Amino acid sequence: MITHLAIKNYALIAALNIDFSDGLTTITGETGSGKSILLGALGLVLGNRADLSVLSNKDSKCIIEATFHVDAYKLQSFFAKNDLDYEADTIIRREILPSGKSRAFINDTPITLNILSQLGKRLIDIHSQHQTLALSSKEFQFQLIDALANNDKHLNSYSRGLKALKEAQKALDDLLEEQKTAQASYDYNLHLFTELENAKLIAEEQETLEERLQFLENIDTIKLQLSESFSLIETEEIGLQAQLFLLKNKLEKLSSLSEKYQALNERINTVNIEFLDISSEIGLALEKVDFDPSELEKTTSRLQLIYDLQQKHNVNSITDLLEKQKQLEVKVAIVNDASSLLKEKEQTVTDISSKLEELSQTIHQRREAVLPKLIKQLEAILAKLGMKHARFDINLAYQENFNTNGKDELSFLFTANKGATFGELKKVASGGELSRIMLAVKTVLSKYKKLPTLIFDEIDTGVSGEVAGQIAQIMQVMSKNMQLMAITHLPQMAAKGKEQLMVSKKTTTTATHTNIVKLSQEQRIDVIAAMISGATVSDAAKAHAKSLLLN
């Protein structure tokens, strides 16, 4: 509910601060006094667009700030989604700058008009002739029926299921498209995959083969060098091994004569051990030089296959070829495994559809069950509002396709006159009748759903005093569960308010200003008496005003 409104430099309002209570507040004032200005200011807070014409002083900015108590509306998720600080007493501020730029804030956080509008719709509902067009909206009509049927939980489950069904159906459609595309290039992909699979590639194979090929291509040179090296070592008398042996003997004989020679002898012994090891390895290497002549051909052929595959697939390594093989395997599998994949996707769609069907039937049955109750309540309220012959014909037809809120097709027909043919609301109901129907709808809704603050803009226009009294009484009952405001010209309505606001306009030699004040009990008597008798207030009018306020 709205608890406070501050207006500065808006239209004919220079500055205004006003507090609102819960229950029903009536707003009165002479025609042209500026009651519409109040609605305009609230409209800006709710996200309506504005221009420089709203500025009273063109050199100063317009500021409209409203405080709302929002605990009852379960808006925490909305605030979290839009990265806003949640406060039980939330402040919405709208500023219109002299430059024409508009700014909006929720709890001092800048926000877009779109976000402001989304929040505004959940806080205040301004009821006017134009707004009654919503009665003909299927979405609004379903909201009414579902509120009575307490379908929120089922509709939330249905919404999640419908989303899952669309995702599953898309996955199935995508698979069918992929298979169609894959089938067209299946033979070529299968050939490429088979070629790579038959190659039996190993990740590190290329480096090993290239090293082996280098050895095989230079084997004669290797064998010659190893053979000559071994000859230098092993040749009798003049070979390196024989010469090293002689040197070792010479130094060994000197080692006993001096520590200096002893050190040389130890060093030559170390060299001799290392030399013998080198000699042995050269000998072993020479023995292993022999090879199968066909190995060179096999190695060359294997490497050429790898190079050809790399060139064909425009890659530089066996690792890349193996990755290509995996990709081709998937493409081939889409066709080869088409039957099992399709069955899996189709089964998912079938399972979700089955659950949605159950939910749709539950939603339909709950809706069907409350229709007689809804019709009875609406017709009873309208009878009190002077429409005793008003009748509704509401039917639900269970359809084949899943819609956004179930599988129902809704027919919501109305007639205001006895014996008249039923028709669509917007075609057979007048503006005044639509206003009273909307009041009846909101009255019913208020019993089953937490509604935003309702503001009725002259809903009692063109009705008799008796009907106006009934309208006021209905609003008074509604206001026990919610906050209502009613702009009215009728004393019966004005008197039913828990509080009454008076809108007045004052003109000076230089300017005209609109002001809004909360009336005391004595002031209310005077104002309502004036509404009854006109400019000259009689004692009888005052007495009548007092009686209206007491009832």
Side-chain angles (χ1 to χ4, degrees), residues 214-352:
Q214 186 177 21
F215 168 80
L216 294 174
E217 289 178 338
N218 293 280
I219 194 166
D220 291 336
T221 300
I222 293 170
K223 188 172 184 179
L224 175 62
Q225 297 302 322
L226 287 175
S227 178
E228 290 180 350
S229 297
F230 195 73
S231 295
L232 287 173
I233 294 171
E234 295 292 338
T235 302
E236 294 184 5
E237 296 184 357
I238 62 170
L240 292 176
Q241 190 168 323
Q243 295 298 315
L244 183 60
F245 182 74
L246 291 174
L247 177 59
K248 179 177 174 296
N249 285 339
K250 298 291 185 183
L251 293 176
E252 187 175 355
K253 291 177 181 180
L254 291 173
S255 62
S256 60
L257 300 179
S258 168
E259 289 185 1
K260 178 180 177 181
Y261 301 139
Q262 176 66 34
L264 288 172
N265 182 55
E266 291 174 357
R267 290 171 66 188
I268 199 64
N269 281 331
T270 301
V271 169
N272 184 54
I273 292 171
E274 180 67 19
F275 184 76
L276 290 175
D277 187 59
I278 293 172
S279 174
S280 175
E281 288 203 19
I282 291 174
L284 289 173
L286 184 59
E287 290 177 6
K288 293 179 179 179
V289 166
D290 290 336
F291 74 104
D292 181 354
S294 65
E295 184 182 2
L296 177 60
E297 182 181 351
K298 290 179 180 179
T299 303
T300 302
S301 176
R302 180 65 176 174
L303 272 173
Q304 190 58 52
L305 172 63
I306 292 171
Y307 294 150
D308 289 345
L309 288 173
Q310 288 175 348
Q311 184 177 15
K312 176 181 285 188
H313 294 280
N314 194 29
V315 297
N316 300 311
S317 69
I318 289 182
T319 301
D320 292 336
L321 284 175
L322 291 171
E323 182 60 31
K324 286 286 185 180
Q325 184 177 331
K326 287 181 182 178
Q327 294 171 2
L328 288 165
E329 185 177 18
V330 171
K331 292 180 179 180
V332 170
I334 288 176
V335 177
N336 289 341
D337 301 336
S339 178
S340 61
L341 283 171
L342 274 176
K343 285 181 180 178
E344 180 182 335
K345 299 294 185 186
E346 287 170 348
Q347 188 61 48
T348 299
V349 170
T350 299
D351 290 344
I352 297 174

Side-chain angles (χ1 to χ4, degrees), residues 27-30 500-504 515-519 527:
I27 304 170
T28 58
E30 294 180 4
Q500 183 175 344
L501 302 180
M502 181 70 177
V503 182
S504 60
N515 192 30
I516 304 174
V517 296
K518 187 177 297 184
L519 299 179
V527 169

Side-chain angles (χ1 to χ4, degrees), residues 385-423:
L385 298 178
M387 299 173 65
K388 62 181 181 179
H389 296 301
R391 295 291 181 269
F392 288 91
D393 182 19
I394 306 174
N395 293 292
L396 290 169
Y398 199 70
Q399 302 295 308
E400 180 180 350
N401 297 325
F402 291 115
N403 299 319
T404 56
N405 61 354
K407 299 183 75 173
D408 289 326
E409 185 67 30
L410 176 62
S411 171
F412 201 105
L413 304 177
F414 171 77
T415 179
N417 302 303
K418 191 174 182 178
T421 304
F422 284 98

Side-chain angles (χ1 to χ4, degrees), residues 467-481:
V467 172
Q470 290 292 338
I471 292 175
Q473 190 173 7
I474 288 171
M475 285 190 180
Q476 195 174 43
V477 172
M478 287 176 67
S479 69
K480 292 178 180 179
N481 300 317

Side-chain angles (χ1 to χ4, degrees), residues 87-102:
E87 299 288 348
D89 290 306
T90 283
I91 298 174
I92 298 177
R93 186 171 78 255
R94 186 78 183 276
E95 298 180 356
I96 312 298
L97 305 181
S99 63
K101 184 178 180 181
S102 169

Side-chain angles (χ1 to χ4, degrees), residues 25 72 95 139 170 209 272 294 368 387 400 423 453 479 505:
T25 297
E95 298 180 356
E139 181 182 359
K170 184 178 185 303
L209 287 171
N272 184 54
S294 65
E368 282 276 13
M387 299 173 65
E400 180 180 350
T453 295
S479 69
K505 185 165 63 175

Side-chain angles (χ1 to χ4, degrees), residues 12-13 27 29-40 487 503-505 514-516:
L12 299 180
I13 299 176
I27 304 170
E30 294 180 4
T31 301
S33 60
K35 295 185 292 297
S36 61
I37 295 177
L38 177 62
L39 294 182
I487 297 174
V503 182
S504 60
K505 185 165 63 175
T514 290
N515 192 30
I516 304 174

